[in-house]
């Protein structure tokens, strides 16, 4: 079944298979991918170019936190004093400049933002909370949840 995902992008079964295969192994060459999908390299390249140009797929590198010396990860719930657009935009600009913040999500519910933090250790996390976040006058409350393990982590998928 073809599924429209944006104003002008429709994913057919072949597109979805290409995406699934790339999620499983992004290191596949175009020839390997074309063979697995049942296309010749030229049509596969055109499909990949369309998927990339439309923003459906993009290329990135995934870093293994433990292998990179990141021994402490946490989710940080942030509530702001005010939730006007300027306050939110200023907060987002500030966290974008913080390399320790590896994810920032605007959420609806009992807090305004959910951040994923990755640092060396608990002392580094305390430093981040006390020196970096303490300077942000927009913050009303912070609540930490320490990440112990990630038994399932999927960086991209299709429903």
């Amino acid at each position: 079944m073809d599924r429209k995902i944006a104003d002008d992008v429709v994913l057919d079964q072949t597109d979805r298979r290409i995406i699934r295969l790339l999620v499983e192994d992004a290191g596949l060459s175009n020839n390997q991918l074309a063979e697995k999908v049942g296309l010749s390299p030229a049509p596969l390249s055109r499909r990949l170019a369309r998927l990339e140009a439309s923003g459906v797929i993009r290329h990135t590198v995934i870093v293994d936190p433990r292998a990179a010396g990141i021994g402490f990860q946490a989710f940080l719930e942030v509530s702001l004093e005010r939730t006007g657009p300027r306050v939110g935009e200023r907060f987002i600009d500030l966290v974008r400049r913080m390399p320790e913040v590896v994810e920032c999500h605007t959420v609806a519910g009992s807090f305004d933002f959910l951040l994923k933090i990755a640092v060396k250790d608990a002392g580094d996390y305390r430093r981040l909370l006390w020196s970096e976040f303490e300077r942000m006058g927009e913050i009303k409350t912070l609540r930490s949840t320490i990440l112990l393990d990630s038994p399932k982590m999927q960086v991209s998928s299709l429903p």
Side-chain angles (χ1 to χ4, degrees):
M1 174 174 83
D2 293 355
R3 184 181 289 175
K4 189 173 184 175
I5 58 165
D7 290 338
D8 58 347
V9 179
V10 175
L11 293 182
D12 64 16
Q13 286 302 104
T14 303
D15 292 326
R16 297 174 75 73
R17 178 143 169 78
I18 290 168
I19 292 167
R20 272 193 305 278
L21 289 166
L22 287 173
V23 167
E24 290 170 12
D25 183 0
L28 290 171
S29 71
N30 276 11
N31 288 341
Q32 291 170 317
L33 188 56
E35 184 178 319
K36 287 181 180 273
V37 174
L39 295 173
S40 63
L44 174 79
S45 292
R46 286 192 294 274
R47 282 180 180 262
L48 285 173
R50 179 179 56 83
L51 291 169
E52 290 169 3
S54 65
V56 172
I57 62 173
R58 60 182 186 205
H59 302 276
T60 189
V61 173
I62 299 170
V63 175
D64 182 328
R66 289 189 181 121
I70 295 169
F72 189 93
Q73 295 183 79
F75 292 99
L76 185 61
E77 297 172 1
V78 180
S79 296
L80 300 180
E81 285 290 345
R82 298 176 314 279
T83 55
R86 285 192 178 147
V87 174
E89 289 168 12
R90 179 169 153 31
F91 177 79
I92 291 168
D93 286 342
L94 290 169
V95 298
R96 276 191 179 131
R97 290 185 245 138
M98 300 171 74
E100 302 92 345
V101 178
V102 295
E103 294 179 20
C104 175
H105 306 275
T106 306
V107 297
S110 59
F111 52 95
D112 302 310
F113 292 92
L114 179 65
L115 308 180
K116 185 175 181 183
I117 310 292
V119 292
K120 184 176 130 190
D121 55 28
D124 201 19
Y125 186 61
R126 182 179 58 238
R127 174 206 52 83
L128 183 69
L129 289 176
W130 290 1
S131 66
E132 299 298 322
F133 286 102
E134 184 65 28
R135 289 190 272 162
M136 297 181 192
E138 299 89 355
I139 294 176
K140 179 179 178 181
T141 60
L142 297 173
R143 184 174 140 197
S144 297
T145 301
I146 308 308
L147 192 143
L148 299 176
D149 192 12
S150 298
K152 179 180 179 183
M153 189 174 88
Q154 193 164 345
V155 294
S156 61
S157 65
L158 286 176

